[in-house]
Amino acid sequence: MESEAQPILNYSILDKVLEVSSYILLIGYWMMIITSYADLPNKIPIHFNALGKVDHYSIKNSIFLLPMIGSFLTVIFTFLSRNPSNAHFKLPPNAENPELQFRLMARMLRWVKLSILLVFILIDYRTILIAKGNAEGLGGLFLPFFLGIIFVPIGYFSFRLNKIR
């Protein structure tokens, strides 16, 4: 049984910037959480409704949940972006320019990874401000921001992939 030949993806400058930016953001994220932890009250907001208002509180240790999820997702998305076929991205048997298709899929995964980290950082930054009494809720623009930053890259790259197929 022959295995499918996968194109070897060389990183462009943009790909390198996206990768490095994700790791810099992740390190900065952990630094923000760790340096803020001691000053947090015992109960902090952990859930917000669609309008960005706090609707549930928990112990301050829960501030580590999103950075742990973000770290896990960063590792998974990095792995998948290095070999998009691991994401079950299958090309049709008569695919033209498979390298371009794999490159676009890998770049989409990098953008989504970066977007998720930005959303998590914003949520926890606002959580810290709210817990310290310096803000109320995530703000009315959070939901449109969240939807845009996650789904615009997915939509853009899906359009590009469908266009070249």
Side-chain angles (χ1 to χ4, degrees):
M1 197 186 244
E2 284 184 40
S3 65
E4 289 182 35
Q6 303 297 328
I8 297 172
L9 300 178
N10 296 319
Y11 282 34
S12 70
I13 291 172
L14 176 59
D15 294 323
K16 291 176 185 176
V17 167
L18 291 171
E19 282 296 319
V20 170
S21 296
S22 293
Y23 286 104
I24 290 171
L25 275 177
L26 186 60
I27 291 167
Y29 186 17
W30 275 104
M31 289 172 56
M32 176 184 79
I33 296 300
I34 290 167
T35 59
S36 301
Y37 181 77
D39 296 330
L40 291 175
N42 289 332
K43 292 218 183 263
I44 63 167
I46 62 159
H47 195 270
F48 303 86
N49 65 21
L51 299 174
K53 302 287 185 201
V54 178
D55 63 5
H56 193 69
Y57 289 84
S58 186
I59 60 173
K60 76 179 190 176
N61 286 347
S62 60
I63 196 72
F64 293 106
L65 182 60
L66 283 182
M68 289 188 307
I69 293 170
S71 298
F72 176 75
L73 290 176
T74 297
V75 170
I76 295 298
F77 276 71
T78 299
F79 171 74
L80 293 176
S81 67
R82 289 189 178 157
N83 189 353
S85 64
N86 290 331
H88 299 289
F89 177 69
K90 301 295 182 198
L91 298 176
N94 59 350
E96 291 184 26
N97 203 348
E99 182 178 346
L100 177 59
Q101 292 184 44
F102 275 106
R103 184 176 307 284
L104 284 171
M105 181 64 173
R107 190 163 292 151
M108 179 181 73
L109 291 169
R110 288 186 185 99
W111 275 110
V112 170
K113 171 176 60 177
L114 191 64
S115 299
I116 289 170
L117 282 173
L118 286 170
V119 168
F120 283 7
I121 289 168
L122 178 60
I123 290 170
D124 273 341
Y125 176 73
R126 293 294 294 185
T127 297
I128 291 165
L129 290 178
I130 295 164
K132 291 180 178 182
N134 298 325
E136 289 185 25
L138 294 176
L141 295 178
F142 177 77
L143 187 58
F145 169 77
F146 165 75
L147 293 172
I149 199 166
I150 299 296
F151 292 109
V152 166
I154 292 171
Y156 169 76
F157 285 104
S158 295
F159 173 77
R160 293 267 323 266
L161 284 165
N162 285 329
K163 190 175 175 183
I164 63 173
R165 281 188 178 169

